Structures are given as C-alpha cells and as structure tokens.
Amino acid sequence: MKYVTEGLFPELVFKNFECISRIPRPSGHEGAISDYIMNFAKSLGLDTYQDSYKNLIVKKPATNGRTDASTVMLQAHMDMVPEASDLVDHDFYKDPIDLILEGNSLKANQTTLGADDGIGVAYMMAILESEDISHPNLECVFTVDEEIGLVGVNKLDMSDLESTYILNLDAEEEDSILVGCAGAVNASIVLRKEYKPAIPTNLALEINIKGLFGGHSGMDIDKQRANANVIMGRILSSISYDYDLFNINGGSKRNAIPRKCEAVLSIRNEDLEGLVREIQKLSAKIQKEFYPSDPKLKIELRRSAPTDFKVFTDDCKNKIVDLLSLIPNGIISRALDLDMVETSSNFAIVNEDKQNIEFISLIRSSVDSKKDYVKTIMTRLAGLVGAELKFYSEYPAWEHNKKSNLEDLAIGAYEEAFGKEANVVVMHCGLECGILLNKLRHKAEAISIGPNMYNVHTPQEHVEVDSVARVWEFIIRLLEIL
C-alpha cells in the first residue's frame, strides 16, 4: 500500500498516523478506531483492556533492567474535531482523511487533519511496537470523546493503574512543556419556539456569514478572531426596519470558534432595498474591524421566495436577538501574573430543532470562582428571556504542581534534546491530566507535550513534520530517564 508519508521520520509514527487517518473517528464514533488499536496491541502480545465506552488501556512491560523504575502512563485521545471547508463534500462518518504532504507540512484536503490528537495516538502506537526503546513499565491510555468535554476519561476505570508519571501527548507547541490547564463547562440555553403566521406578500432575505478563520476555542481565543454567531447578533440587533425571523443556525462544534451563521428574514417588498443597504453598510464596518484576523469574512445577502408560512413571534424573535447579542464571548479576564487568558467563553452553536432553539457555549477558566461567575451571568440571562439552562460535562482545572519532579526531569531532557530551554506554561485549553490525576488512587505527576500544530479545529490544520521528529526524540529521552 502506498503511503503519502513514506520516507518521513519517525517512520512508525507517520505510518501509524496515516493508518488511523483512514478510519473515521469524530467524537462519539470511535468504535472502529478503538477496535483497530485494540487488535493492533493484541497482535503484539500486549495486555489490552477495552471498556464499554471504547476507552483502551494497553500495558507494555519494562525493557530489561528497568523493572524497578516508576510506571509511566502515555495518554492521548482517539477522537478528532470534524470541520470541512465549503469547497469539499466530506462525510466524516464514512470518508478517510485525505492527507497532503507539502514540504515540511502535513495537512488534509480541505478538512481538519486530526493531528489533534492523532499524532499523540501514533506516538503511542509506535512505542508499543518498537523493540529498541528503553522504557519502564508503560500504561498506554487511549480515550474517547475528549473533544466534546473530556467525556471518555471521566468514565474510565483506573483502579488497576499504577502510573506515577503521566505523559499526556496532546500539546501543540514543541517549545512548551504544559504543566496546567483551565477547567471548563458547557452551557446550553434552550428557548422554546413560538410562531405566528407569516405575511404572505413578504419576501425572504437570507443572511449568510461565512469565510471566517475559526480556530480552537481555547488555544486561539486570545487571537480575538471573529465569531459568526456574535456577528449575526450585531446585524439583527441593528436593523431599523420591521422584519420577521423564521430561521437561524450557526456554528457546529462547542470547542471551535464558529466560522459561519445563517438566518432567514421575512420583510416587506418596499423595505427590501433600504434594509439591504443598511446591512451592507454595517457589514463593511465589521469586515474592516476583523480584516487583520479574518480577511476572508463575507456577509452575503440573497433574496428568495418564502418556503414557510409561519415565522417567530415578535417576542420570540426579540429573545433570540437578545441572546445572540448578550451571551458572553471571547476573553473574560486575563491572569496578569502569567500574561495569559484566565477566563473565556466561546459562543459556539445556535441550533434549531422542531420545538426549540439551543444556544451552546463553552466556558473555560483556570480559576473556579471566575468560571462560576460566568455561569451566574448565563443563569441570569436565561432567566431574563424565560429560557431553560443546563450546564454539563464540567471538569476541574489542572493545577500546576510547583514541586513536580517530573517537570524538573522534563526540563532537563528537553534541553538535552533541543539544545535550548523549554517554556513551562499553564495553557488555556482542556487537557485530561487533571482528571487522570484525580482518578488515580495514589499521588502522581503529569506534563503535556507535543509537536508544532497550527490552526487546529479548522480546515487549515497542519502539523510540522520536522517537529514531530524532534518531539519523538524528546519522548524517547524522557522514557530513558524516568
């Protein structure tokens, strides 16, 4: 079989990554990839456990002379964020990822690559099948549903695990050793839809916001990129003409900054020209505002014939616009001592079903009290518009252990591998380390490392080939000294 990555180093890492890229694995659909890795591990004669949720634990005995060393956990998640550009028709539940190698960059054909966290999975598979790597007893943990709220790891039975050190392989910058991360919670505001008859002589006007860059709702929130749902709120709240609303949808993934949003308005024929001119005038201002971060932002208007003869009531419409305009989004606060984002909210999804409109946000904070404060804002906002609110998939922050022996060892190994000092950082993203540490029955320490990845959770996602090799050498060095 021909491999796009043939000839790249480390060979086993890229071969395994390409193999798993052929297996669809969006969150909630990791059965096939979990079975593949389980059979892969069993073929190597390794002790393998798969739970009912499809989480996997694979144990590999220490190499000769290492049996007295501390047990080390290697950990990565199997699922990926499925995002595709408007230029391709990609079914993430059936189609393989189409890899493209361009120089020192590995990417996909107009879709997310899945290097987050497929590269971490591939590192672990390569270590499991390698016979020339010195290492202590290994517990390799492959989790599911990480991208939708660290769900899989929360369900994992870890009572049989003995690891003292945890190497999470889900980081995205090779010059950083991650030693802490924010906690998070999903917020869902559900508004009951109410209808009235549409004016039959009215016209329909579609508003499409698209072309935004998007990005990872934690790692990229500091870049202050445009949010399609927020822009739609600005447009609808600015309209001075009388209009009705009968459709609204935006965003697709809770942990991705929404790249598009669409709404359909019902307006009088005589108001069409003035309303279009009004929206175009504001659109030009918004495009100018976001040109540095989102130069391809488009706000398109298209007249069409009404297909439905009912629209939202004025009260329901006003509540929708209120929520679009007032749901917290972006940076809430910064940790001044660390010069990093401390608290944020990503207004991720607006989605209709037959009876309701749901507004989904992902709130992150490294300070629990700040996270609770944003939850209070959401609670009061939902109460003001008479909507239902629920919080779910909450997980705690991974707090920095300032006396970590693993951190000290990793800093030394990094300097040996890279010839420079590592940045030791606490990141504004969600990692499974805090949950893993809390679930182990004994005291343990954790770090997170990984190669340079760019534009994750977007169709522009790519990974730096040479960086994959450098981090591989770093991992091997760590396993030699732990």
Side-chain angles (χ1 to χ4, degrees):
M1 183 178 293
K2 179 68 174 178
Y3 287 88
V4 173
T5 59
E6 187 173 347
L8 298 183
F9 176 83
E11 180 181 359
L12 289 180
V13 174
F14 283 107
K15 182 201 74 172
N16 284 311
F17 178 71
E18 187 157 355
C19 287
I20 66 173
S21 296
R22 294 169 181 162
I23 305 172
R25 50 190 175 90
S27 302
H29 296 80
E30 301 99 328
I33 185 67
S34 180
D35 289 346
Y36 175 83
I37 298 173
M38 178 180 67
N39 292 329
F40 166 87
K42 286 184 175 181
S43 72
L44 298 171
L46 299 175
D47 182 10
T48 305
Y49 167 74
Q50 183 187 61
D51 68 15
S52 60
Y53 304 104
K54 296 294 185 176
N55 293 300
L56 275 176
I57 298 174
V58 181
K59 297 183 179 181
K60 185 177 183 181
T63 53
N64 291 338
R66 301 292 308 279
T67 54
D68 293 334
S70 298
T71 300
V72 173
M73 179 191 297
L74 300 175
Q75 192 268 323
H77 62 86
M78 294 179 283
D79 58 323
M80 63 173 285
V81 171
E83 284 281 292
S85 79
D86 297 332
L87 301 176
V88 293
D89 183 16
H90 188 93
D91 187 342
F92 282 96
Y93 301 100
K94 297 179 181 179
D95 300 336
I97 300 299
D98 184 12
L99 301 184
I100 297 174
L101 180 62
E102 289 186 353
N104 193 33
S105 179
L106 183 64
K107 63 179 184 177
N109 183 18
Q110 301 292 326
T111 71
T112 38
L113 173 63
D116 172 18
D117 189 21
I119 290 293
V121 170
Y123 278 140
M124 292 164 62
M125 294 174 70
I127 291 168
L128 288 175
E129 66 176 314
S130 295
E131 299 179 353
D132 57 352
I133 297 174
S134 174
H135 60 77
N137 288 323
L138 297 179
E139 296 174 332
C140 292
V141 177
F142 303 84
T143 54
V144 299
D145 293 346
E146 190 269 356
E147 297 288 7
I148 56 174
L150 283 62
V151 175
V153 69
N154 264 312
K155 297 176 178 178
L156 180 64
D157 181 1
M158 297 175 55
S159 60
D160 189 42
L161 299 186
E162 300 177 349
S163 295
T164 301
Y165 296 133
I166 298 172
L167 301 184
N168 170 276
L169 304 177
D170 193 19
E172 298 162 9
E173 297 176 351
E174 72 164 39
D175 65 351
S176 297
I177 297 173
L178 305 190
V179 296
C181 73
V185 62
N186 296 310
S188 169
I189 295 178
V190 178
L191 181 68
R192 185 82 171 182
K193 294 198 290 190
E194 297 175 350
Y195 289 107
K196 68 177 184 179
I199 300 173
T201 56
N202 273 12
L203 302 173
L205 180 69
E206 298 178 13
I207 305 175
N208 284 287
I209 300 169
K210 59 185 182 179
L212 279 69
F213 205 100
H216 189 294
S217 66
M219 300 293 286
D220 295 323
I221 203 74
D222 62 331
K223 297 176 177 61
Q224 301 185 77
R225 292 172 180 164
N227 180 308
N229 297 332
V230 173
I231 290 175
M232 185 63 77
R234 288 181 63 177
I235 291 174
L236 295 182
S237 63
S238 73
I239 295 174
S240 63
Y241 292 85
D242 186 30
Y243 73 93
D244 290 318
L245 179 68
F246 60 92
N247 178 262
I248 177 80
N249 280 284
S252 59
K253 303 293 179 297
R254 46 171 281 289
N255 55 358
I257 300 169
R259 298 183 295 117
K260 54 187 176 180
C261 184
E262 59 185 18
V264 184
L265 280 56
S266 172
I267 58 170
R268 296 187 301 176
N269 182 53
E270 56 267 33
D271 292 337
L272 176 64
E273 183 177 346
L275 185 143
V276 167
R277 187 165 53 246
E278 191 173 73
I279 294 176
Q280 288 176 335
K281 190 173 182 179
L282 176 59
S283 297
K285 294 179 180 179
I286 292 173
Q287 287 171 317
K288 183 177 180 180
E289 287 177 25
F290 288 104
Y291 184 81
S293 63
D294 295 85
K296 296 183 180 180
L297 165 62
K298 293 182 180 179
I299 302 173
E300 296 181 346
L301 306 177
R302 187 170 74 92
R303 173 182 166 179
S304 62
T307 58
D308 198 343
F309 293 93
K310 60 181 181 179
V311 296
F312 299 129
T313 63
D314 290 347
D315 182 59
C316 183
K317 177 193 73 175
N318 290 334
K319 289 177 178 178
I320 292 169
V321 176
D322 285 344
L323 290 170
L324 289 170
S325 304
L326 298 175
I327 287 176
N329 181 73
I331 299 171
I332 307 296
S333 65
R334 299 186 67 91
L336 299 180
D337 56 335
L338 297 174
D339 189 28
M340 59 169 283
V341 178
E342 180 182 74
T343 307
S344 73
S345 181
N346 179 47
F347 179 13
I349 300 172
V350 182
N351 182 50
E352 284 191 56
D353 61 24
K354 291 183 178 180
Q355 296 181 325
N356 303 302
I357 303 176
E358 185 177 23
F359 304 78
I360 300 175
S361 298
L362 174 55
I363 304 165
R364 300 180 190 266
S365 184
S366 53
V367 179
D368 285 342
S369 60
K370 293 285 186 72
K371 183 175 63 177
D372 291 341
Y373 168 62
V374 182
K375 289 171 67 176
T376 299
I377 294 174
M378 301 288 280
T379 301
R380 297 188 69 85
L381 177 57
L384 288 172
V385 299
E388 295 182 2
L389 171 69
K390 67 175 181 178
F391 298 107
Y392 61 98
S393 298
E394 186 166 8
Y395 57 87
W398 165 29
E399 296 185 6
H400 179 205
N401 177 3
K402 297 180 181 180
K403 298 180 179 180
S404 169
N405 182 54
L406 175 59
E407 179 182 325
D408 292 339
L409 291 170
I411 291 172
Y414 184 95
E415 292 178 359
E416 291 181 15
F418 292 90
K420 61 180 181 179
E421 293 185 2
N423 296 316
V424 179
V425 296
V426 176
M427 297 296 288
H428 192 68
C429 61
L431 294 170
E432 293 159 295
C433 299
I435 297 173
L436 292 167
L437 291 168
N438 288 339
K439 295 191 75 169
L440 286 171
R441 295 179 301 172
H442 53 273
K443 186 176 181 180
E445 299 173 3
I447 62 169
S448 180
I449 56 178
N452 291 330
M453 301 181 197
Y454 305 93
N455 305 325
V456 297
H457 297 186
T458 80
Q460 292 78 38
E461 179 186 357
H462 59 283
V463 63
E464 184 182 330
V465 172
D466 290 349
S467 181
V468 173
R470 289 190 292 268
V471 172
W472 170 255
E473 299 289 354
F474 178 34
I475 295 170
I476 299 309
R477 178 57 184 151
L478 271 174
L479 291 179
E480 288 176 348
I481 65 174
L482 291 180

